[in-house]
Amino acid sequence: MIVDDHPVVRAGLCALVDGRETMTVAVEAGTGEEALLRLEEFGAQIDVIMMDLRMGAGVSGIEATRLIRERCDILVLIMTAFDTQADVVAALEVGAIGYLLKGCPADEIARAVEDAAAGRSVLSPSVIAQMMKRIASPATALTPREIEILELLSGGATNRQLARRLFISEATVKTHLVHIFDKLGADNRTQAIERARDERVI
């Protein structure tokens, strides 16, 4: 199944997949919600789901992947234009078997689908570089919670709003911010967000 909110992208991926003797597209979906519905109907025909991450309002690619992995053993290969640590970590945490960028050559995409179907992890080179950076500097690597807080900060959330959104106390939010600033070498929120973007954390 190919899940993407852009018809042109879906058409291109369908042509690529259907052009291979080893695979075919069973069904398409334009939203996370539609993917979950299609899964109920076509699940028996699907081995791999190629999932976009950002599809506008509604169920995101991350949330759809989480729900799919909770419901069945079908493998999900993320296919997106974004390779920030926030997206990569979130996708792998919810059970995606791979993370591929849309700019990859056609042959690489086809091989990735075959590898995913065989249960082998697939990561684009830039994604591997992001993960190696985290592994090489564990002391300064932001935790998934810290990355989540940074993303909310970049949207203008206050400490109180962060606490309510994450179901934690404002004191805990402040503690997280201290750790974030320290790891990024930042003195304030604005600087932390700028450095996180420069380093492709968010």
Side-chain angles (χ1 to χ4, degrees):
M1 175 160 64
I2 294 175
V3 186
D4 196 291
D5 61 336
H6 293 98
V8 172
V9 173
R10 290 202 308 274
L13 290 174
C14 282
L16 187 157
V17 171
D18 286 335
R20 300 275 167 160
E21 293 182 359
T22 57
M23 61 185 82
T24 187
V25 177
V27 65
E28 302 174 40
T31 65
E33 292 90 342
E34 187 180 0
L36 296 171
L37 290 173
R38 294 285 183 266
L39 188 65
E40 294 180 5
E41 184 178 356
F42 296 92
Q45 302 175 39
I46 300 169
D47 295 305
V48 176
I49 296 173
M50 299 176 74
M51 178 75 69
D52 190 16
L53 280 189
R54 305 183 187 183
M55 296 178 282
V59 177
S60 69
I62 295 293
E63 181 64 8
T65 299
R66 183 185 68 78
L67 292 170
I68 289 166
R69 295 299 295 158
E70 286 178 355
R71 298 177 185 182
C72 63
D73 294 328
I74 295 175
L75 301 167
V76 180
L77 173 64
I78 300 300
M79 188 80 191
T80 181
F82 305 96
D83 65 347
T84 65
Q85 282 189 33
D87 288 327
V88 175
V89 170
L92 298 181
E93 276 197 330
V94 295
I97 192 152
Y99 198 108
L100 208 62
L101 298 183
K102 289 180 178 177
C104 291
D107 284 346
E108 188 175 330
I109 293 173
R111 283 196 302 272
V113 174
E114 292 174 342
D115 284 343
R120 294 187 290 268
S121 296
V122 183
L123 296 174
S124 285
S126 64
V127 173
I128 293 174
Q130 287 283 18
M131 294 299 97
M132 290 301 293
K133 186 187 298 183
R134 286 179 63 83
I135 294 169
S137 305
T140 58
L142 295 170
T143 66
R145 174 64 94 186
E146 290 166 351
I147 291 174
E148 185 178 16
I149 287 173
L150 264 174
E151 288 190 302
L152 293 172
L153 278 182
S154 68
T158 65
N159 284 8
R160 178 172 295 181
Q161 290 169 331
L162 284 169
R164 289 178 177 172
R165 177 75 177 269
L166 302 175
F167 303 103
I168 57 178
S169 68
E170 288 189 52
T172 300
V173 170
K174 291 177 182 177
T175 298
H176 280 306
L177 290 176
V178 169
H179 292 156
I180 290 169
F181 293 169
D182 182 55
K183 289 179 179 181
L184 292 175
D187 297 320
N188 53 57
R189 293 166 180 249
T190 301
Q191 196 174 66
I193 292 167
E194 288 176 352
R195 291 191 176 179
R197 286 174 173 161
D198 288 343
E199 295 177 19
R200 303 194 63 72
V201 173
I202 60 173

